[in-house]
Amino acid sequence: MKILVTGGSGYIASWIIKYLLEQGHQVNTTVRDLSNEAKIFHLKQLEKEKEGKLHFYEADLLEEGSFDEAVKDCGVVIHSASPFKVSGIKDPVKQLVEPAVKGTRNVLRAVSRAKSVKKVVLTSSVAAIYGDNADIKNIEGTKFTEEHWNTSSSEKHQAYSYSKTEAEKVAWQMANEQQRWKLAVINPGFVVGPSITKRKDSTSISLIISFLNGTYKSGVPELYFGMVDVRNAAMAHLNAATKPDAEGRHILVSETLSMPELAKILHDHLGDQYKIPGSSIPKWLLFLVGPFSGFNWKFIRQNVGIPVYFDNTRAKNNLDIEFIPVSQSIREQAEQVISDGLVEK
Ligand code: NAP
């Protein structure tokens, strides 16, 4: 089967492509800039190993029609490209919401024009399920499920989560307007685990690097995230793509962990060789210093110290996912960023 993966240079998409090639599929992938050797070096290696099986196309989410060529003759489209940034954003609409939403529409219009496509797998996020951790207090039950939608994010508050929510809504609207292709959505928590790209600018990679290089040496807030291994995330896309019955949303979370717990896993594994955060920053102190370090009061109030939990039954049953323990993913990711020379002691 010929499968298109958008945003092939990304952290998650790179694993998806690796597994698709290993399973013998023909893969098309889009990248923003074919001349950016650093971003696609690892994919070129895969192309060499599986001669004639991987084809590259240039496409930008904001460029109408730019995915048409890449979609041609594909049976499945895995749409993974979308900006994933939670800090350093100056214009959330231009940098996050427009590429996510217009990009999804753009890719799905290409799908509509290419009559070969029978299945679309969208990389959404748990960010489309909930916005702030405090949202868990407003649901029935104790865990977020695929029934829940993020209603608390906006362009001004948790803009990344808003971008993922609006993009997923567009996908469902377009899926429901036609009969030819089915939509399967993957809603991963924060993705961790070793990377096959050596890029540092991907949020999942830069977070682990900043836990090792001293960025947080004065401590981390008690922020809780649902987390999942990148190999589970990639395999969920593959199984959603190839199982004819797989459709609908799938929460992909192995466990919930706090930032101090993540630091402890790293410290237990690596000892004092790296500047790993040793303590958590109390909430009252965050209210004082947060606004100077990118945490506003609303964010702190609605998120710090509030655990969130997820029902991952659908991913286990429908996509055959056996979750990798997050502590293992984090240890392996730390070893990878260190051996790839991405962290200084
Ligand atoms: P990543 O490494 O930053 O990859 C993002 C990809 O999107 C890159 O290939 C990037 O291309 C591409 N992209 C961004 N803006 C684009 C544009 N305007 N036109 C074309 N391509 C564009 O992030 P990732 O973690 O792999 O994320 C992949 C997907 O998973 C995203 O949809 C993200 O929202 C979702 N997700 C991630 C996590 C996580 O924890 N990592 C959790 C849940 C969901 P360049 O290589 O050119 O920059």
Coordinates of all heavy atoms in Angstrom, one line a residue, residues 177-266:
E177 N -18.7 15.0 5.8 CA -19.3 15.5 4.5 C -19.2 14.5 3.4 O -19.6 14.8 2.3 CB -18.7 16.8 4.2 CG -19.2 18.0 5.0 CD -18.4 19.2 4.9 OE1 -17.4 19.3 4.1 OE2 -18.7 20.2 5.6
Q178 N -18.5 13.4 3.6 CA -18.3 12.5 2.4 C -18.3 11.0 2.9 O -18.4 10.8 4.1 CB -16.9 12.8 1.7 CG -15.7 12.8 2.6 CD -15.2 11.5 3.0 OE1 -14.9 10.7 2.1 NE2 -15.1 11.1 4.3
Q179 N -18.2 10.1 2.0 CA -18.4 8.7 2.3 C -17.1 7.9 2.0 O -16.9 6.7 2.4 CB -19.5 8.0 1.5 CG -20.9 8.7 1.6 CD -21.5 8.3 2.9 OE1 -21.4 7.2 3.3 NE2 -22.2 9.3 3.6
R180 N -16.2 8.4 1.1 CA -15.1 7.6 0.6 C -14.1 7.2 1.6 O -13.7 6.1 1.6 CB -14.5 8.3 -0.7 CG -13.3 7.5 -1.2 CD -12.8 8.0 -2.5 NE -12.8 9.4 -2.7 CZ -11.8 10.2 -2.3 NH1 -10.7 9.8 -1.7 NH2 -11.8 11.5 -2.6
W181 N -13.6 8.2 2.4 CA -12.5 7.9 3.3 C -13.0 7.9 4.7 O -13.9 8.7 5.1 CB -11.3 8.8 3.1 CG -11.6 10.2 3.0 CD1 -11.9 10.9 1.9 CD2 -11.6 11.2 4.1 NE1 -12.0 12.3 2.2 CE2 -11.9 12.5 3.5 CE3 -11.4 11.1 5.5 CZ2 -11.9 13.6 4.3 CZ3 -11.5 12.3 6.2 CH2 -11.7 13.5 5.6
K182 N -12.4 7.0 5.5 CA -12.7 7.0 7.0 C -11.6 7.8 7.7 O -10.5 7.9 7.2 CB -12.6 5.6 7.5 CG -13.7 4.7 7.1 CD -13.5 3.3 7.8 CE -14.6 2.3 7.4 NZ -14.3 1.0 7.9
L183 N -12.0 8.4 8.9 CA -11.1 9.1 9.7 C -10.7 8.4 11.0 O -11.7 8.1 11.7 CB -11.6 10.5 10.0 CG -10.8 11.4 10.8 CD1 -9.4 11.8 10.2 CD2 -11.5 12.8 11.2
A184 N -9.5 8.2 11.2 CA -9.0 7.7 12.5 C -8.1 8.8 13.1 O -7.2 9.3 12.4 CB -8.2 6.4 12.4
V185 N -8.4 9.1 14.4 CA -7.6 10.2 15.0 C -6.8 9.6 16.2 O -7.3 8.8 16.9 CB -8.6 11.3 15.5 CG1 -7.8 12.3 16.3 CG2 -9.3 11.9 14.3
I186 N -5.5 10.0 16.2 CA -4.7 9.6 17.3 C -4.5 10.8 18.2 O -4.1 11.9 17.8 CB -3.3 9.1 16.8 CG1 -3.5 8.1 15.7 CG2 -2.4 8.6 18.0 CD1 -4.1 6.8 16.1
N187 N -4.8 10.7 19.5 CA -4.7 11.8 20.5 C -3.7 11.5 21.5 O -4.0 11.1 22.7 CB -6.1 12.0 21.2 CG -7.2 12.3 20.2 OD1 -7.8 11.4 19.7 ND2 -7.5 13.5 20.0
P188 N -2.4 11.7 21.2 CA -1.3 11.3 22.1 C -1.2 12.4 23.2 O -1.5 13.5 23.1 CB 0.0 11.3 21.3 CG -0.4 11.5 19.9 CD -1.8 12.1 19.9
G189 N -0.8 11.9 24.4 CA -0.3 12.8 25.5 C 1.1 13.3 25.1 O 1.5 13.2 23.9
F190 N 1.8 13.8 26.1 CA 3.1 14.3 25.7 C 4.0 13.1 25.3 O 4.1 12.1 26.0 CB 3.7 15.1 26.9 CG 5.0 15.8 26.6 CD1 4.9 17.0 25.9 CD2 6.2 15.3 26.9 CE1 6.1 17.7 25.5 CE2 7.4 15.9 26.5 CZ 7.3 17.2 25.8
V191 N 4.7 13.2 24.2 CA 5.4 12.1 23.6 C 6.8 12.2 24.0 O 7.5 13.2 23.9 CB 5.2 12.1 22.1 CG1 6.0 10.9 21.5 CG2 3.8 12.0 21.7
V192 N 7.4 11.0 24.5 CA 8.7 10.9 25.0 C 9.4 9.6 24.4 O 8.6 8.8 23.9 CB 8.8 10.9 26.5 CG1 8.6 12.2 27.2 CG2 7.9 9.8 27.1
G193 N 10.7 9.6 24.5 CA 11.4 8.4 24.0 C 12.4 8.8 23.0 O 12.4 9.9 22.5
P194 N 13.3 7.8 22.6 CA 14.4 8.1 21.8 C 14.0 8.6 20.4 O 13.0 8.2 19.9 CB 15.2 6.8 21.6 CG 14.2 5.8 22.1 CD 13.3 6.4 23.0
S195 N 14.8 9.5 19.9 CA 14.5 10.1 18.6 C 15.4 9.6 17.5 O 16.6 9.4 17.8 CB 14.7 11.6 18.7 OG 14.6 12.2 17.4
I196 N 14.9 9.5 16.3 CA 15.8 9.1 15.2 C 16.2 10.3 14.4 O 17.1 10.2 13.5 CB 15.2 8.0 14.3 CG1 13.8 8.3 13.8 CG2 15.2 6.7 15.0 CD1 13.3 7.3 12.8
T197 N 15.6 11.5 14.7 CA 16.2 12.7 14.1 C 17.0 13.4 15.2 O 16.7 13.3 16.4 CB 15.1 13.7 13.6 OG1 15.6 15.0 13.7 CG2 13.8 13.7 14.5
K198 N 18.1 14.0 14.8 CA 19.0 14.7 15.7 C 18.6 16.1 16.0 O 19.3 16.9 16.6 CB 20.4 14.6 15.3 CG 20.9 13.1 15.4 CD 22.4 13.0 15.1 CE 22.8 11.5 15.1 NZ 24.1 11.3 14.6
R199 N 17.4 16.6 15.4 CA 17.0 18.0 15.6 C 16.8 18.2 17.1 O 16.3 17.4 17.8 CB 15.9 18.3 14.7 CG 14.6 17.7 15.1 CD 13.5 17.8 14.0 NE 13.1 19.2 13.9 CZ 12.2 19.6 12.9 NH1 11.7 18.7 12.0 NH2 11.8 20.9 12.9
K200 N 17.1 19.5 17.5 CA 16.9 19.9 18.9 C 15.6 20.7 19.1 O 15.2 21.0 20.2 CB 18.0 20.7 19.4 CG 19.3 20.0 19.6 CD 20.5 21.0 19.8 CE 21.1 21.0 21.1 NZ 22.3 21.9 21.2
D201 N 15.0 21.2 18.0 CA 14.0 22.2 18.1 C 12.6 21.6 18.2 O 11.6 22.3 18.3 CB 14.0 23.2 16.8 CG 13.7 22.4 15.5 OD1 13.9 21.2 15.5 OD2 13.3 23.0 14.6
S202 N 12.5 20.3 18.3 CA 11.2 19.7 18.4 C 10.9 19.7 20.0 O 11.8 19.3 20.8 CB 11.3 18.2 17.9 OG 10.1 17.6 18.0
T203 N 9.7 20.1 20.4 CA 9.4 20.3 21.8 C 9.7 19.1 22.6 O 10.2 19.2 23.7 CB 7.9 20.8 21.9 OG1 7.8 22.0 21.2 CG2 7.5 21.0 23.4
S204 N 9.3 17.9 22.1 CA 9.5 16.6 23.0 C 11.0 16.4 23.2 O 11.4 15.8 24.2 CB 9.0 15.4 22.2 OG 7.6 15.4 22.4
I205 N 11.8 16.8 22.2 CA 13.3 16.6 22.4 C 13.9 17.7 23.2 O 14.7 17.5 24.2 CB 13.9 16.6 21.0 CG1 13.3 15.4 20.1 CG2 15.5 16.4 21.1 CD1 13.6 15.5 18.7
S206 N 13.5 19.0 23.0 CA 14.1 20.1 23.7 C 13.7 20.0 25.2 O 14.5 20.5 26.1 CB 13.7 21.4 23.1 OG 12.3 21.6 23.2
L207 N 12.5 19.4 25.5 CA 12.2 19.4 27.0 C 13.2 18.5 27.7 O 13.7 18.9 28.8 CB 10.8 18.8 27.2 CG 10.4 18.8 28.7 CD1 9.7 20.1 29.1 CD2 9.5 17.6 29.1
I208 N 13.5 17.3 27.2 CA 14.4 16.4 27.9 C 15.8 17.1 27.9 O 16.5 17.0 29.0 CB 14.5 15.0 27.2 CG1 13.1 14.3 27.3 CG2 15.6 14.2 27.7 CD1 12.7 13.9 28.7
I209 N 16.2 17.7 26.8 CA 17.5 18.4 26.8 C 17.5 19.5 28.0 O 18.5 19.6 28.7 CB 17.8 19.0 25.5 CG1 18.0 17.9 24.4 CG2 19.1 19.9 25.5 CD1 18.2 18.4 23.0
S210 N 16.4 20.2 28.1 CA 16.5 21.3 29.1 C 16.4 20.7 30.6 O 16.8 21.4 31.5 CB 15.3 22.3 28.9 OG 14.1 21.7 28.8
F211 N 16.0 19.5 30.7 CA 16.0 18.8 32.0 C 17.5 18.4 32.4 O 17.8 18.1 33.5 CB 15.1 17.6 32.1 CG 13.8 17.8 32.6 CD1 12.8 18.6 31.9 CD2 13.4 17.3 33.9 CE1 11.6 18.9 32.4 CE2 12.1 17.6 34.4 CZ 11.2 18.3 33.7
L212 N 18.3 18.3 31.3 CA 19.7 17.8 31.6 C 20.7 19.0 31.5 O 21.8 18.8 32.1 CB 20.1 16.8 30.5 CG 19.2 15.5 30.5 CD1 19.6 14.7 29.2 CD2 19.5 14.7 31.7
N213 N 20.4 20.1 30.8 CA 21.4 21.1 30.6 C 21.4 22.2 31.6 O 22.1 23.2 31.4 CB 21.4 21.6 29.2 CG 20.2 22.4 28.9 OD1 19.4 22.8 29.8 ND2 20.0 22.8 27.6
G214 N 20.5 22.1 32.6 CA 20.5 23.2 33.7 C 19.5 24.3 33.5 O 19.4 25.1 34.3
T215 N 18.7 24.2 32.4 CA 17.7 25.2 32.2 C 16.8 25.3 33.4 O 16.3 26.4 33.8 CB 16.8 24.9 30.9 OG1 17.7 24.7 29.8 CG2 15.8 26.0 30.6
Y216 N 16.5 24.2 34.0 CA 15.5 24.1 35.2 C 16.2 23.8 36.5 O 15.7 23.2 37.4 CB 14.4 23.1 34.9 CG 13.5 23.3 33.7 CD1 13.4 22.3 32.8 CD2 12.9 24.5 33.6 CE1 12.6 22.6 31.7 CE2 12.0 24.7 32.5 CZ 11.9 23.8 31.6 OH 11.1 24.0 30.5
K217 N 17.5 24.2 36.6 CA 18.3 23.7 37.7 C 17.7 24.3 39.1 O 17.9 23.7 40.1 CB 19.8 24.0 37.6 CG 20.2 25.4 37.5 CD 21.8 25.4 37.5 CE 22.3 26.8 37.6 NZ 22.0 27.6 36.4
S218 N 17.0 25.4 39.0 CA 16.4 25.9 40.2 C 15.1 25.2 40.6 O 14.4 25.5 41.6 CB 16.2 27.4 40.2 OG 15.6 27.7 39.0
G219 N 14.6 24.3 39.8 CA 13.4 23.5 40.1 C 12.4 23.6 39.0 O 12.5 24.3 38.0
V220 N 11.4 22.7 39.1 CA 10.3 22.6 38.1 C 9.0 22.7 38.8 O 8.8 22.2 39.9 CB 10.4 21.3 37.2 CG1 11.4 21.4 36.1 CG2 10.6 20.1 38.1
P221 N 8.0 23.3 38.1 CA 6.6 23.3 38.7 C 6.0 21.9 38.7 O 6.4 21.0 37.9 CB 5.9 24.2 37.7 CG 6.6 24.3 36.5 CD 8.1 23.9 36.8
E222 N 5.1 21.7 39.7 CA 4.4 20.5 39.8 C 3.3 20.4 38.7 O 2.1 20.6 39.0 CB 3.8 20.3 41.2 CG 3.4 18.9 41.5 CD 2.6 18.8 42.8 OE1 2.6 19.8 43.6 OE2 1.8 17.8 42.9
L223 N 3.7 20.2 37.5 CA 2.8 20.2 36.4 C 2.6 18.7 35.9 O 3.7 18.0 35.7 CB 3.3 21.0 35.2 CG 3.0 22.4 35.1 CD1 3.8 23.1 34.0 CD2 1.5 22.7 35.0
Y224 N 1.4 18.2 35.8 CA 1.2 16.8 35.4 C 0.8 16.7 33.9 O 0.0 17.5 33.4 CB 0.0 16.3 36.2 CG 0.4 16.1 37.7 CD1 0.3 17.2 38.6 CD2 0.8 14.9 38.2 CE1 0.6 17.1 39.9 CE2 1.1 14.7 39.6 CZ 1.0 15.8 40.4 OH 1.3 15.7 41.7
F225 N 1.4 15.7 33.3 CA 1.0 15.4 31.9 C 0.8 13.9 31.7 O 1.4 13.1 32.3 CB 2.2 15.7 31.0 CG 2.7 17.1 31.0 CD1 3.8 17.5 31.8 CD2 2.0 18.1 30.2 CE1 4.2 18.8 31.8 CE2 2.5 19.4 30.3 CZ 3.6 19.8 31.0
G226 N -0.2 13.6 30.8 CA -0.3 12.2 30.3 C 0.8 12.0 29.3 O 1.1 12.9 28.5
M227 N 1.5 10.9 29.4 CA 2.7 10.7 28.6 C 2.6 9.4 27.8 O 2.0 8.4 28.3 CB 4.0 10.8 29.4 CG 4.2 12.1 30.0 SD 5.9 12.2 30.7 CE 5.9 13.9 31.3
V228 N 3.4 9.3 26.7 CA 3.4 8.1 25.9 C 4.7 8.0 25.2 O 5.3 9.0 24.8 CB 2.2 8.0 24.9 CG1 2.2 9.1 23.9 CG2 2.0 6.7 24.3
D229 N 5.1 6.8 24.9 CA 6.4 6.6 24.2 C 6.2 6.8 22.7 O 5.1 6.5 22.1 CB 6.9 5.1 24.4 CG 8.3 4.9 23.8 OD1 8.4 4.8 22.6 OD2 9.2 5.0 24.6
V230 N 7.2 7.4 22.1 CA 7.1 7.8 20.6 C 6.9 6.5 19.8 O 6.3 6.6 18.7 CB 8.4 8.6 20.2 CG1 9.6 7.8 20.3 CG2 8.2 9.2 18.8
R231 N 7.4 5.4 20.2 CA 7.3 4.2 19.4 C 5.8 3.7 19.5 O 5.3 3.2 18.5 CB 8.3 3.1 19.8 CG 9.7 3.6 19.5 CD 10.8 2.9 20.4 NE 10.7 3.4 21.7 CZ 11.7 3.1 22.6 NH1 12.7 2.4 22.3 NH2 11.5 3.5 23.9
N232 N 5.2 3.8 20.6 CA 3.8 3.5 20.8 C 3.0 4.5 19.9 O 2.0 4.1 19.2 CB 3.3 3.7 22.2 CG 3.7 2.5 23.1 OD1 3.9 2.7 24.3 ND2 3.8 1.3 22.6
A233 N 3.4 5.7 19.9 CA 2.6 6.7 19.1 C 2.7 6.4 17.6 O 1.7 6.4 16.9 CB 3.2 8.1 19.4
A234 N 3.9 6.0 17.2 CA 4.1 5.7 15.8 C 3.3 4.5 15.4 O 2.6 4.4 14.4 CB 5.6 5.5 15.5
M235 N 3.4 3.4 16.2 CA 2.7 2.2 15.9 C 1.2 2.4 15.9 O 0.5 1.7 15.2 CB 3.1 1.1 16.9 CG 3.0 -0.3 16.4 SD 3.5 -0.6 14.7 CE 5.2 -1.1 14.9
A236 N 0.7 3.2 16.8 CA -0.8 3.5 16.8 C -1.2 4.1 15.4 O -2.3 3.7 14.9 CB -1.1 4.5 17.9
H237 N -0.4 5.0 14.9 CA -0.7 5.5 13.5 C -0.7 4.4 12.5 O -1.6 4.3 11.6 CB 0.3 6.6 13.1 CG 0.2 7.9 13.8 ND1 0.6 8.1 15.1 CD2 -0.4 9.0 13.4 CE1 0.3 9.3 15.4 NE2 -0.3 10.0 14.4
L238 N 0.3 3.5 12.6 CA 0.4 2.4 11.6 C -0.8 1.5 11.7 O -1.4 1.2 10.7 CB 1.6 1.6 11.9 CG 2.8 1.7 10.9 CD1 3.5 3.0 11.0 CD2 3.7 0.5 11.0
N239 N -1.2 1.1 12.9 CA -2.3 0.2 13.1 C -3.6 0.9 12.7 O -4.5 0.3 12.1 CB -2.4 -0.3 14.5 CG -1.2 -1.2 14.8 OD1 -0.4 -1.6 13.9 ND2 -1.0 -1.6 16.0
A240 N -3.7 2.2 13.0 CA -4.9 2.9 12.5 C -5.0 3.0 11.0 O -6.1 2.9 10.4 CB -4.9 4.3 13.1
A241 N -3.8 3.1 10.4 CA -3.8 3.2 8.9 C -4.1 1.9 8.2 O -4.8 1.8 7.2 CB -2.4 3.6 8.5
T242 N -3.7 0.7 8.8 CA -3.8 -0.5 8.1 C -5.0 -1.4 8.6 O -5.4 -2.3 7.8 CB -2.5 -1.3 8.3 OG1 -2.2 -1.4 9.7 CG2 -1.3 -0.7 7.5
K243 N -5.6 -1.1 9.8 CA -6.7 -1.9 10.2 C -8.0 -1.3 9.6 O -8.3 -0.2 9.9 CB -6.8 -1.9 11.7 CG -5.9 -2.8 12.4 CD -6.0 -2.5 13.9 CE -5.5 -3.7 14.7 NZ -6.5 -4.6 15.3
P244 N -8.7 -2.1 8.7 CA -9.8 -1.5 8.0 C -10.9 -0.9 9.0 O -11.5 0.1 8.7 CB -10.4 -2.6 7.2 CG -9.3 -3.7 7.2 CD -8.4 -3.5 8.4
D245 N -11.0 -1.5 10.2 CA -12.1 -1.1 11.1 C -11.7 0.1 12.0 O -12.6 0.6 12.7 CB -12.6 -2.3 12.0 CG -13.2 -3.3 11.2 OD1 -13.7 -3.0 10.1 OD2 -13.3 -4.5 11.7
A246 N -10.4 0.4 12.0 CA -10.0 1.4 12.9 C -10.5 2.8 12.5 O -10.2 3.3 11.4 CB -8.5 1.5 13.0
E247 N -11.3 3.4 13.3 CA -11.8 4.8 13.0 C -12.2 5.4 14.3 O -12.2 4.8 15.4 CB -12.9 4.9 12.0 CG -14.1 4.0 12.3 CD -15.1 4.1 11.1 OE1 -15.3 5.2 10.5 OE2 -15.7 3.0 10.8
G248 N -12.4 6.7 14.3 CA -12.7 7.5 15.5 C -11.5 7.9 16.3 O -10.3 7.8 15.8
R249 N -11.7 8.5 17.5 CA -10.6 9.0 18.3 C -9.9 7.9 19.2 O -10.6 7.0 19.6 CB -11.1 10.1 19.2 CG -11.9 11.2 18.5 CD -12.4 12.2 19.5 NE -11.5 13.4 19.7 CZ -11.7 14.3 20.6 NH1 -12.6 14.2 21.6 NH2 -10.9 15.3 20.7
H250 N -8.7 8.1 19.5 CA -7.9 7.2 20.3 C -7.0 8.0 21.2 O -6.0 8.5 20.8 CB -7.1 6.2 19.5 CG -7.9 5.4 18.5 ND1 -8.2 5.9 17.2 CD2 -8.5 4.2 18.6 CE1 -9.0 5.0 16.6 NE2 -9.1 4.0 17.4
I251 N -7.3 8.0 22.5 CA -6.4 8.6 23.5 C -5.2 7.7 23.6 O -5.3 6.5 23.8 CB -7.1 8.7 24.9 CG1 -8.1 9.9 24.8 CG2 -6.1 9.0 26.0 CD1 -8.9 10.1 26.1
L252 N -4.0 8.3 23.5 CA -2.8 7.5 23.6 C -1.9 8.0 24.8 O -1.1 8.9 24.6 CB -2.0 7.6 22.3 CG -1.2 6.4 21.9 CD1 -2.1 5.3 21.6 CD2 -0.3 6.8 20.7
V253 N -2.2 7.5 25.9 CA -1.5 7.9 27.1 C -1.1 6.6 27.9 O -2.0 5.8 28.1 CB -2.3 8.8 28.0 CG1 -1.7 9.0 29.4 CG2 -2.5 10.2 27.4
S254 N 0.1 6.5 28.2 CA 0.5 5.3 29.0 C 0.3 5.6 30.5 O -0.3 4.8 31.2 CB 2.0 5.0 28.7 OG 2.5 4.1 29.6
E255 N 0.9 6.7 31.0 CA 0.8 7.1 32.4 C 0.8 8.6 32.6 O 1.3 9.3 31.7 CB 2.1 6.6 33.1 CG 2.3 5.1 33.2 CD 3.8 4.8 33.5 OE1 4.3 5.3 34.5 OE2 4.4 4.2 32.6
T256 N 0.4 9.0 33.7 CA 0.5 10.4 34.1 C 1.7 10.6 35.0 O 1.9 9.9 35.9 CB -0.8 10.9 34.8 OG1 -1.9 10.8 33.9 CG2 -0.7 12.3 35.3
L257 N 2.5 11.6 34.6 CA 3.7 11.9 35.4 C 3.8 13.4 35.6 O 3.4 14.2 34.8 CB 4.9 11.5 34.6 CG 5.8 10.4 35.2 CD1 5.1 9.1 35.2 CD2 7.1 10.4 34.4
S258 N 4.4 13.8 36.8 CA 4.6 15.3 37.0 C 6.0 15.6 36.6 O 6.9 14.7 36.4 CB 4.4 15.6 38.5 OG 5.5 15.0 39.2
M259 N 6.3 16.9 36.4 CA 7.7 17.3 36.0 C 8.7 16.9 37.1 O 9.8 16.4 36.8 CB 7.7 18.8 35.7 CG 7.1 19.1 34.4 SD 7.0 20.8 34.0 CE 8.6 21.0 33.1
P260 N 8.4 17.1 38.4 CA 9.4 16.6 39.4 C 9.6 15.1 39.3 O 10.7 14.6 39.5 CB 8.7 17.0 40.7 CG 7.8 18.1 40.4 CD 7.3 17.8 39.0
E261 N 8.5 14.3 39.0 CA 8.7 12.8 38.9 C 9.6 12.5 37.7 O 10.5 11.6 37.7 CB 7.4 12.1 38.7 CG 6.6 12.0 40.0 CD 5.1 11.7 39.8 OE1 4.5 11.9 38.7 OE2 4.5 11.2 40.8
L262 N 9.4 13.3 36.6 CA 10.3 13.1 35.4 C 11.8 13.3 35.8 O 12.7 12.6 35.4 CB 9.8 14.0 34.3 CG 10.2 13.8 32.9 CD1 9.2 14.5 32.0 CD2 11.6 14.3 32.6
A263 N 12.0 14.4 36.5 CA 13.3 14.8 37.0 C 13.9 13.7 37.8 O 15.1 13.3 37.7 CB 13.3 16.1 37.8
K264 N 13.1 13.1 38.7 CA 13.6 12.0 39.6 C 14.0 10.8 38.8 O 15.1 10.2 39.1 CB 12.5 11.6 40.6 CG 13.0 10.6 41.6 CD 12.0 10.3 42.7 CE 12.6 9.4 43.8 NZ 13.2 8.2 43.2
I265 N 13.3 10.4 37.7 CA 13.6 9.3 36.9 C 15.0 9.5 36.3 O 15.9 8.7 36.3 CB 12.6 9.1 35.8 CG1 11.3 8.6 36.4 CG2 13.1 8.1 34.7 CD1 10.1 8.6 35.5
L266 N 15.2 10.8 35.8 CA 16.5 11.1 35.2 C 17.6 11.1 36.2 O 18.7 10.6 35.9 CB 16.4 12.5 34.5 CG 15.6 12.6 33.2 CD1 15.4 14.0 32.8 CD2 16.3 11.8 32.1

